[in-house]
Amino acid sequence: MRRTRSRTSAGATAVTALAALLAVPASGGTARAAQPEQLTIDLSTDTGAFHGGASGSLYGVYGDGVPSRNVLEGMHVRTVSTKAQDGPQHPGADALEMLPPFVDSGGKDVYVYMTDIYRGFPYQWPGSDGPARLADFKEKIRKQVEQVRTLDSAYKDHVVYVPFNEPEGNMFGTGDWSYDKVSWLKDPGAYFAAWKDVYRLIKGLDPDARIAGPNTSVLYDQVKGFLQYAKANDVVPDVMTWHELSSPAAVRTNVARYRQMEKDVGVGPLPVNVNEYGHNFHLSVPGQVVQWISAIEDSKIDADLAYWNIDGNLNDSAVEANKGNGQWWLFNAYGQMSGHTVEVTAPHPNQQYTLQGVATLDQDKKQSRAIFGGKSGDADVVFRNIDPKLFGGAVHATVQEIPWTGQVGDSAQPLRLADQELTVGADGTVTLPMTGMNEMSAYQVILSPGGHGTVPAEPSVSWRGTYEAENATYTGGGYSKNGPEGTPSNVGGFATSGTYNVGGLRTGSDGVLGFDVEVPQDGTYDLSVFANSYNLYDLVKEQGPTNVFLRVDGADPQELRLPLGYKWVVWGHTDTTVRLTAGRHRITLAAKDPDLGVTRGDAIIDKVDLSLRDARATAPALYEAEYATLSGTRPVYTRAGASGPGTVPLGRGAAATFWVHSPTDAEATVYVDHLGGGRASLSLNGEKLDVPEVGGDRKGTDRIRMFLSGGINKITVTGTSRALVLDRLRVARTGDTPSTRVYQAEDGRLSGAARVTDAYPFATGGKAVTGVGDGRANALTVDVVADRGGRHAVTIRYSNAEQAPATHYNPDPIARHADLSVNGGPAHRVLFPTTFHFNNFWELTVPLTLRKGTNRLTFTAEELPDFNGDTYNQYDQRSPYAPVIDRVAVTPLAQKQPS
């Protein structure tokens, strides 16, 4: 696999221009010498209330914690399509287990694929003939509805039943597992009768039930006949569903075509959920997905990202349990839009792989937001008809980039490219010249009223460069140039920077991949190696993460462990720092090093990114209150002394929520900048913190030391008295954390079959504990010490590579669990997503209440039965085991620092 031998000429390409630097814009009528493409946003044209429907997911939620509630809520996931409870289609993603955390995290509807109660695809429904198979299915449908009816209405009202999935090629297609081997597209009689029977069965059991269909793989012309039959028999679905494994252009076209069908038949208009969209080439790539978002938002429908890979990661949006990649941050930006959408005219309307976007205007917030992307190079973003009553004679423009970071690569918050006060032209126009855009990135512009003396914030990066592996110099044996990977003509392939990558760094190799770089000044540089190892490939299975060796100009060796993935060409990144002097250097990645050892495994390399780690990069991350998610308040733009364009008054109960990134599970210092006027409380990830309230009578800054989970953190500031004028949050890594206590798992007490193992050398000290679970008798107990009572962050370093046999193209990793109890109290179930290998360790933080002094943490596990408690999964899809546990660290969750 991926071993075609070829050579490429030496060389490197550096992308050194900082994208989207703003020049002072001209008013609308002024032309420049070489007119670039324009994306025009007309703020005077209301195209409907903002819907937010593109943020749906098929099989994206495994269970409570995979992904975390932070990741769910911060992505603003609106709909999820998932399997029937206890269905054997895939491990996890059981409808009634993921329903509560999804709804509690702001989700709207869960579409239950009732057919996924069966194994295989096509569905393996038992029976000697079609009527017998249908009878079996109806009994399973009855049980599913009865299970849902046992739920509290706060949850069951969010269920939508999907009785059939792609029936034209499946249960009512032509295959061996079909009803009668006759496709309903040619003879619909059997399918229509089954639809009527099943519809009436569900409504008979629950008259308030919502039912979706026909859920075809394409919007066939025959769907019109389905609507005619459904109307005639009073079985019209409550939601119309189909799949769009096509293009954004097809979304707009087909929604319009369907709406005409409705008019012709005399039904609706019905809500629409296109519950599969996108391909591997698109997913994880902000510049690709924003084009789908634009079409879906224009159509005012719901839509779910397609499920091509593993479940529980929101369709290649979530990383580990609590992190997000670039696609996650795109949906975070999309979900924070509000008000109504406005007309966006693209340079190539409704044409995929070109510059496309969506924009909103919120008149109450006096704010316009636009997200766009899909083009490399330069373009102008033109805002027209800027209302002076809302914005005044100047606007404050914040421009951000949301880069691609790979399918399994964590992403920090969007890069701040520019922050500027701009005069509105006499014709009500502002033009933002975007230069050096990357087609894999998406971009966001936020416009607010300007002209209040605000000092613009600096860009968050001063210099950066990208160097493609296929342009690097390779010496030694085993070289392969792989690709092209995913392209517009190969949408099933994975996106890859430059479309090519390089192999050769593997067990037994003497290969060296050399990148020639040139940097502008002396300093420390952040370096990211975009790489992949397929976790089930023979050479990779031996050790897990593939190790390679980095040197700069032949010196300063470092050993790097490269990311694992669930398939080849699934990209993540390994990050480090290097010291460079101004000028040219050669950075090498080698399969052996005279001082450090040799590579074990097999890796492919996509590119390396460099960025200057200067004061801009190391400054605290800025989160402006006026850009936060607000409840019970709106921004004010006339306060002198504010850092950004405005502030947010927080009266009692009003709140501002910030989505804050942390690269690791670690303490951070959160600076709350305010202008006085009242007080407010703080909460972290949904928990109110036990710290003094922030604020006061005068302008000031409160410093809170709090433990942030690696990835996405939800920080909410809620007014408690009078009206605190909140300016912003600044978040900085604390560095040393003397309050953290670390306990090695092998030093704990083991019972039953739990044992210490040295089989995983990447565990701390080479030892970890395995065999916890398969019954409560096989347990690990760790005694930890808290200096004071209260909430603590308990960080568990673990590994998990259990995987169930699959019947399809989806890898089926299993999220193991641990039942964790404190001091003999009730156990709390914690899910641990796959780490792709038992020798690959990640961290997961759980907030727990500890008493002052010694506390006993006990880890156990046992297999969960099915929903009714009377059967167990027969395909090894519910593990009875806890993950391999390496160590446990304990840190106070928060503490106030002196101002």
Side-chain angles (χ1 to χ4, degrees):
M1 181 179 289
R2 318 210 59 77
R3 294 295 172 262
T4 302
R5 183 181 177 86
S6 63
R7 292 241 177 221
T8 186
S9 59
T13 300
V15 181
T16 58
L18 184 64
L21 291 177
L22 295 182
V24 176
S27 61
T30 303
R32 286 181 283 168
Q35 195 75 4
E37 291 187 345
Q38 282 192 355
L39 184 81
T40 302
I41 299 166
D42 185 352
L43 296 186
S44 69
T45 306
D46 184 341
T47 60
F50 173 70
H51 185 67
S55 60
S57 173
L58 173 64
Y59 269 92
V61 184
Y62 190 104
D64 196 359
V66 180
S68 71
R69 296 192 180 198
N70 289 345
V71 167
L72 267 176
E73 184 178 352
M75 189 168 154
H76 305 277
V77 182
R78 180 177 167 89
T79 58
V80 167
S81 296
T82 198
K83 75 176 187 183
Q85 179 66 33
D86 305 325
Q89 237 345 263
H90 305 280
D94 295 87
L96 306 190
E97 292 171 37
M98 54 73 55
L99 178 66
F102 172 71
V103 172
D104 292 347
S105 302
K108 181 178 183 291
D109 287 326
V110 171
Y111 287 74
V112 180
Y113 274 32
M114 306 184 88
T115 46
D116 287 15
I117 199 66
Y118 294 116
R119 184 79 166 156
F121 193 84
Y123 299 111
Q124 299 168 6
W125 52 340
S128 58
D129 57 18
R133 288 174 170 174
L134 183 59
D136 181 82
F137 185 38
K138 288 166 69 174
E139 283 306 305
K140 288 180 168 56
I141 285 175
R142 179 184 298 276
K143 183 175 182 179
Q144 290 179 52
V145 177
E146 289 172 347
Q147 288 174 338
V148 170
R149 293 188 66 199
T150 66
L151 301 178
D152 185 277
S153 61
Y155 297 124
K156 72 180 180 68
D157 291 348
H158 292 267
V159 169
V160 181
Y161 297 102
V162 184
F164 300 99
N165 178 37
E166 298 186 358
E168 76 286 354
N170 207 308
M171 288 177 158
F172 294 90
T174 60
D176 290 340
W177 285 101
S178 69
Y179 183 87
D180 57 6
K181 298 186 179 181
V182 176
S183 172
W184 78 263
L185 298 177
K186 292 187 176 181
D187 182 357
Y191 172 61
F192 284 2
W195 171 266
K196 181 176 67 175
D197 287 351
V198 167
Y199 182 99
R200 290 178 176 174
L201 170 63
I202 295 171
K203 292 285 189 177
L205 293 168
D206 183 358
D208 296 325
R210 287 180 293 155
I211 301 173
N215 222 58
T216 49
S217 58
V218 175
L219 183 68
Y220 294 101
D221 292 338
Q222 290 90 333
V223 169
K224 185 174 180 179
F226 168 81
L227 287 174
Q228 291 169 332
Y229 176 87
K231 180 184 179 183
N233 290 273
D234 196 23
V235 290
V236 175
D238 299 284
V239 183
M240 177 59 62
T241 56
W242 70 87
H243 301 162
E244 283 292 353
L245 302 177
S246 52
S247 71
V251 170
R252 292 184 176 94
T253 301
N254 284 335
V255 171
R257 186 161 67 95
Y258 167 70
R259 292 303 184 199
Q260 187 59 50
M261 289 181 187
E262 285 184 327
K263 291 179 181 178
D264 293 345
V265 173
V267 299
L270 301 175
V272 169
N273 188 348
V274 169
N275 50 12
E276 287 190 37
Y277 79 87
H279 295 272
N280 272 328
F281 178 54
H282 309 132
L283 301 188
S284 87
V285 185
Q288 296 288 351
V289 175
V290 72
Q291 299 176 59
W292 289 91
I293 290 174
S294 173
I296 292 163
E297 185 61 38
D298 283 354
S299 302
K300 303 301 180 187
I301 62 170
D302 292 333
D304 298 346
L305 293 159
Y307 168 47
W308 298 114
N309 299 305
I310 63 175
D311 63 348
N313 75 347
L314 292 172
N315 315 88
D316 291 334
S317 304
V319 177
E320 302 180 21
N322 190 58
K323 298 177 180 178
N325 60 16
Q327 179 170 279
W328 186 92
W329 285 102
L330 171 63
F331 280 107
N332 178 259
Y334 171 60
Q336 292 189 79
M337 288 178 150
S338 57
H340 62 261
T341 50
V342 296
E343 184 178 73
V344 176
T345 304
H348 306 280
N350 206 26
Q351 182 176 331
Q352 196 171 8
Y353 310 117
T354 65
L355 181 62
Q356 304 289 328
V358 61
T360 56
L361 175 65
D362 189 322
Q363 293 174 311
D364 290 336
K365 293 174 71 173
K366 298 183 178 180
Q367 195 173 97
S368 175
R369 295 186 181 225
I371 53 175
F372 52 91
K375 169 188 169 59
S376 288
D378 303 342
D380 285 347
V381 177
V382 182
F383 287 84
R384 297 194 182 279
N385 295 311
I386 297 173
D387 187 349
K389 294 180 181 179
L390 287 179
F391 290 92
V395 294
H396 188 104
T398 296
V399 183
Q400 299 172 333
E401 179 181 359
I402 306 170
W404 175 70
T405 57
Q407 292 86 352
V408 295
D410 179 33
S411 176
Q413 67 273 17
L415 294 168
R416 185 173 58 254
L417 301 180
D419 190 58
Q420 202 159 341
E421 295 274 324
L422 306 169
T423 301
V424 179
D427 59 354
T429 298
V430 160
T431 299
L432 305 180
M434 306 288 296
T435 63
M437 290 192 296
N438 186 324
E439 67 183 0
M440 299 185 82
S441 296
Y443 298 85
Q444 176 172 231
V445 173
I446 305 176
L447 288 190
S448 304
H452 303 297
T454 297
V455 178
E458 291 186 323
S460 52
V461 178
S462 298
W463 179 93
R464 54 188 166 136
T466 291
Y467 303 86
E468 298 290 346
E470 62 269 25
N471 297 328
T473 301
Y474 190 94
T475 58
Y479 176 84
S480 64
K481 178 182 175 181
N482 307 310
E485 305 293 359
T487 64
S489 60
N490 176 27
V491 294
F494 289 105
T496 300
S497 179
T499 73
Y500 290 90
N501 59 81
V502 168
L505 304 181
R506 62 177 71 93
T507 301
S509 169
D510 61 351
V512 180
L513 187 62
F515 297 85
D516 292 323
V517 306
E518 187 169 0
V519 298
Q521 67 186 66
D522 297 357
T524 299
Y525 288 78
D526 289 312
L527 184 146
S528 292
V529 180
F530 279 66
N532 162 248
S533 291
Y534 174 36
N535 67 322
L536 297 184
Y537 188 66
D538 283 344
L539 290 179
V540 178
K541 284 193 293 186
E542 182 180 357
Q543 174 177 269
T546 300
N547 60 313
V548 299
F549 306 96
L550 180 146
R551 284 182 179 252
V552 177
D553 300 326
D556 303 321
Q558 299 183 43
E559 183 175 11
L560 304 180
R561 296 175 190 166
L562 301 181
L564 295 171
Y566 45 78
K567 295 176 183 176
W568 282 116
V569 203
V570 172
W571 302 108
H573 52 86
T574 294
D575 305 325
T576 188
T577 58
V578 292
R579 285 287 301 176
L580 301 174
T581 56
R584 292 179 63 82
H585 298 274
R586 172 160 286 193
I587 296 174
T588 55
L589 299 174
K592 61 182 181 180
D593 188 276
D595 297 327
L596 300 180
V598 297
T599 288
R600 294 179 63 191
D602 196 349
I604 51 177
I605 311 296
D606 184 20
K607 64 171 182 170
V608 297
D609 285 348
L610 274 178
S611 61
L612 178 62
R613 190 170 182 77
D614 61 359
R616 289 182 177 180
T618 59
L622 301 181
Y623 299 89
E624 293 290 345
E626 60 272 24
Y627 299 158
T629 301
L630 305 179
S631 173
T633 186
R634 62 184 66 170
V636 174
Y637 298 100
T638 57
R639 302 266 188 183
S643 64
T647 58
V648 172
L650 296 178
R652 185 176 181 86
T657 294
F658 302 83
W659 300 101
V660 172
H661 176 262
S662 177
T664 60
D665 296 73
E667 280 192 329
T669 299
V670 177
Y671 301 86
V672 182
D673 295 334
H674 60 85
L675 303 186
R679 294 195 174 274
S681 62
L682 289 176
S683 67
L684 172 64
N685 301 330
E687 292 199 20
K688 185 176 180 180
L689 295 179
D690 184 20
V691 295
E693 293 179 340
V694 298
D697 294 329
R698 299 181 180 180
K699 179 179 179 179
T701 296
D702 291 277
R703 293 195 303 158
I704 310 296
R705 192 163 177 163
M706 62 178 71
F707 192 95
L708 299 184
S709 295
I712 308 303
N713 294 268
K714 176 187 174 184
I715 298 179
T716 303
V717 186
T718 304
T720 56
S721 64
R722 294 181 291 157
L724 177 67
V725 179
L726 183 64
D727 185 8
R728 65 182 179 183
L729 299 188
R730 291 177 292 135
V731 181
R733 299 192 68 179
T734 300
D736 294 335
T737 54
S739 54
T740 297
R741 298 175 184 263
V742 179
Y743 304 86
Q744 298 301 132
E746 64 268 22
D747 295 333
R749 287 187 295 280
L750 307 179
S751 62
R755 68 187 189 280
V756 176
T757 178
D758 59 3
Y760 310 122
F762 291 163
T764 309
K767 293 183 178 180
V769 170
T770 188
V772 174
D774 200 20
R776 295 181 180 275
N778 308 311
L780 166 67
T781 300
V782 180
D783 288 341
V784 303
V785 176
D787 292 331
R788 59 184 176 86
R791 297 294 275 174
H792 285 70
V794 175
T795 302
I796 304 158
R797 189 169 190 261
Y798 78 97
S799 70
N800 166 33
E802 188 169 350
Q803 189 157 322
T807 62
H808 29 67
Y809 50 78
N810 301 93
D812 272 349
I814 292 173
R816 286 188 170 188
H817 69 276
D819 295 324
L820 175 57
S821 67
V822 180
N823 299 322
H828 172 64
R829 176 150 293 198
V830 183
L831 282 182
F832 295 83
T834 180
T835 65
F836 302 119
H837 196 282
F838 280 112
N839 196 31
N840 190 38
F841 289 85
W842 292 347
E843 291 188 333
L844 188 146
T845 293
V846 182
L848 295 174
T849 300
L850 303 180
R851 64 194 180 199
K852 184 178 180 179
T854 300
N855 294 262
R856 179 157 293 177
L857 306 183
T858 302
F859 296 85
T860 61
E862 57 186 342
E863 183 176 358
L864 274 181
D866 292 333
F867 184 83
N868 289 357
D870 53 357
T871 56
Y872 285 82
N873 183 281
Q874 59 180 311
Y875 297 101
D876 298 323
Q877 292 174 318
R878 289 184 183 269
S879 178
Y881 291 103
V884 173
I885 300 174
D886 177 21
R887 70 182 183 211
V888 175
V890 178
T891 312
L893 195 60
Q895 48 193 320
K896 183 82 175 280
Q897 299 293 297
S899 299

